[in-house]
């Protein structure tokens, strides 16, 4: 993947990007990391799980987002969007189940479950770091 990314104008990418979405209407380039974590209940297992998400997955996602931010037009072109845009690069962690690391005091990236991904991408507001709560429809 790194060689393919470099050939396409995004050099120095560390690892694969699970999903890259270029939304020219909002000027957002989403760098999405998708994980299917196993649950952890015991305190020791939960601590190890959170450490894996923060030191391995989250930090790699932030590094990938920084690389994309250094080459936003080239990254958007990989998605089929050409032209000059003022891109905002947004990292997003997507999991199958609710991720405990999303509830840390400073999670650094937004988290969402897969079934709500479309709603988050369609929302005109940029998400804040941490768990993205479901918004209730107006009554």
């Amino acid at each position: 993947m790194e060689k393919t990314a470099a050939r396409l104008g995004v050099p120095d990418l560390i690892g694969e990007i699970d999903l890259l979405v270029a939304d020219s209407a909002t000027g957002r380039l989403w760098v999405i990391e998708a994980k299917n974590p196993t649950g952890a209940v015991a305190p020791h297992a939960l601590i190890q799980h959170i450490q894996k998400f923060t030191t391995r997955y989250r930090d790699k996602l932030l590094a990938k987002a920084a690389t994309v931010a250094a080459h936003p037009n080239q990254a958007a072109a990989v998605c089929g969007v050409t032209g000059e845009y003022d891109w905002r690069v947004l990292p997003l962690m997507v999991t199958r189940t609710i991720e405990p690391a999303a509830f840390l005091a400073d999670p650094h990236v937004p988290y969402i479950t897969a079934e709500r991904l479309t709603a988050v991408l369609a929302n005109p507001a940029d998400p804040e770091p941490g768990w993205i709560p479901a918004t209730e429809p107006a009554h």
Side-chain angles (χ1 to χ4, degrees):
M1 179 66 180
E2 293 89 351
K3 289 180 183 179
T4 302
R7 187 173 38 81
L8 295 172
V10 185
D12 305 320
L13 184 64
I14 299 170
E16 296 182 358
I17 294 175
D18 291 333
L19 181 60
L20 180 65
V21 177
D23 184 349
S24 59
T26 63
R28 297 188 293 197
L29 263 173
W30 295 92
V31 179
I32 300 172
E33 185 78 11
K35 295 295 177 196
N36 186 15
T38 56
V41 179
H44 178 72
L46 184 59
I47 288 170
Q48 286 181 329
H49 176 92
I50 290 173
Q51 287 173 342
K52 181 191 292 185
F53 258 82
T54 56
T55 60
R56 189 183 306 169
Y57 303 146
R58 182 200 64 202
D59 291 350
K60 284 184 181 177
L61 173 58
L62 289 170
K64 292 172 191 179
T67 300
V68 168
H71 309 282
N73 290 314
Q74 295 87 340
V78 172
C79 297
V81 178
T82 57
E84 295 292 320
Y85 293 91
D86 187 20
W87 293 109
R88 289 184 324 284
V89 177
L90 301 174
L92 181 64
M93 185 73 69
V94 178
T95 56
R96 191 170 61 117
T97 58
I98 294 174
E99 174 50 45
F103 299 94
L104 295 174
D106 188 8
H108 299 281
V109 298
Y111 287 78
I112 192 69
T113 52
E115 74 271 358
R116 297 203 29 254
L117 177 60
T118 303
V120 170
L121 296 179
N123 188 329
D126 292 350
E128 296 292 325
W131 182 250
I132 302 171
T135 55
E136 298 201 25
H139 295 282

